Amino acid sequence: MEYPPPPEVRCLHCGRRKAPFALLIAGKVVWISGGCGCDQERAAKEEEEARRAAEKDRRYTEKLRAVGIPPRYQNAVIDSNEAAMFLADFDSRPGSGLYIQGTCGSGKTSLACALARRLFDAKKRVLVTTAIDMLGEIQRTFDDSSPTLDVVRRYVECDLLVIDDMGKESAGDWAVRTLFQILNARYGEMRSTIVTSEYDPPNLGRRMSRQGFGDPATAILSRLKETCTRIERPDVDFRSLPGGYPGGRATSGTE
């Protein structure tokens, strides 16, 4: 069989002519050429692979940020046996949760975000927020065209909701009743919730009812007590130590 003459193909990096070889595809001869193998080509290939890896990491970081896990906590580690058990049993114990309590800087947020990231990687619907931010987003819809119900539904219907720093929000009637509305709906639907707080449950209850709205606060704590395993963090402010909390540094890429 007579082949058509091969085209001349040269390396874009060193200019050397590449050796062509023929393939017979559907009765037609197609000339192709492989890599040159020069140092410049190898360097360009490595640079392109690094660029693609960096872009993959950037997209992953943005996906985590979109569900509320900020870059600082995207490389957080699970350093608690109870938390590891919660993760392992997540599918077999619907509606189970965690109450992570400890002083400022003790790694509460890091641990919660580590769990949220692992479940996000497992294709679960995850949402991480603070009590203040969640209530603020709902309140901002009062004068918006989007119904408040749509915003509340986001917090009710995700597979895992992390409410960070509970106890720092306003203790007004609307705030406490809105928290109850969300947690009660999740309780009824058997969806998992992780709460972090500087306060143990009795003190959190007192803070939430300090303006006289004790009934919804009591109801919130009752549901958390039933569904959540309590994890007490070390009485240490890791942020004040050299290097900070080891599980809270920003990630350099996906695992």
Side-chain angles (χ1 to χ4, degrees), residues 233-249:
R233 300 298 295 166
D235 190 16
V236 177
D237 182 355
F238 287 101
R239 296 191 186 102
S240 66
L241 302 178
Y245 180 63
R249 290 194 288 268

Side-chain angles (χ1 to χ4, degrees), residues 11 13-14 16 18 34-43:
C11 175
H13 305 284
C14 70
R16 185 168 59 191
K18 296 182 179 181
C36 171
C38 65
D39 291 343
Q40 298 96 314
E41 185 182 67
R42 285 196 297 270

Side-chain angles (χ1 to χ4, degrees), residues 13-212:
H13 305 284
C14 70
R16 185 168 59 191
R17 183 176 180 179
K18 296 182 179 181
F21 57 94
L23 287 179
L24 188 62
I25 301 176
K28 294 184 179 180
V29 173
V30 178
W31 288 98
I32 63 174
S33 57
C36 171
C38 65
D39 291 343
Q40 298 96 314
E41 185 182 67
R42 285 196 297 270
K45 183 178 180 180
E46 291 172 359
E47 183 178 340
E48 176 62 15
E49 289 174 351
R51 185 196 66 78
R52 290 182 180 179
E55 176 61 19
K56 181 180 179 182
D57 286 348
R58 185 195 67 78
R59 291 196 301 267
Y60 182 71
T61 295
E62 289 306 312
K63 288 178 181 179
L64 292 179
R65 194 200 302 268
V67 299
I69 306 176
R72 178 173 294 278
Y73 298 109
Q74 289 179 6
N75 201 36
V77 297
I78 298 172
D79 59 357
S80 157
N81 290 333
E82 294 91 342
M85 290 175 60
F86 166 81
L87 185 65
D89 296 340
F90 188 83
D91 287 326
S92 61
R93 295 183 60 200
S96 62
L98 295 175
Y99 187 97
I100 306 175
Q101 185 253 320
T103 60
C104 181
S106 61
K108 302 184 299 297
T109 304
S110 292
L111 179 56
C113 286
L115 291 165
R117 176 188 170 183
R118 293 287 291 274
L119 289 169
F120 175 85
D121 290 343
K123 310 302 182 185
K124 304 298 184 184
R125 295 174 299 170
V126 171
L127 195 55
V128 179
T129 185
T130 65
I132 291 174
D133 288 344
M134 180 174 67
L135 293 169
E137 182 183 7
I138 295 170
Q139 196 169 42
R140 283 192 295 273
T141 66
F142 288 173
D143 299 323
D144 234 0
S145 57
S146 58
T148 300
L149 183 62
D150 289 345
V151 180
V152 172
R153 188 178 291 118
R154 287 180 60 236
Y155 296 109
V156 170
E157 295 183 349
C158 54
D159 298 316
L160 173 70
L161 175 64
V162 175
I163 305 178
D164 198 23
D165 275 332
M166 187 176 283
K168 292 186 177 179
E169 70 283 349
S170 164
D173 179 55
W174 175 84
V176 177
R177 291 189 183 279
T178 301
L179 282 172
F180 171 74
Q181 176 188 0
I182 292 168
L183 290 171
N184 184 57
R186 294 186 62 78
Y187 174 83
E189 295 296 326
M190 299 182 70
R191 294 187 177 13
S192 294
T193 303
I194 295 176
V195 168
T196 80
S197 181
E198 292 183 27
Y199 307 98
D200 60 22
N203 280 320
L204 177 64
R206 283 189 281 272
R207 286 188 62 81
M208 295 178 71
S209 59
R210 63 186 182 271
Q211 294 187 22

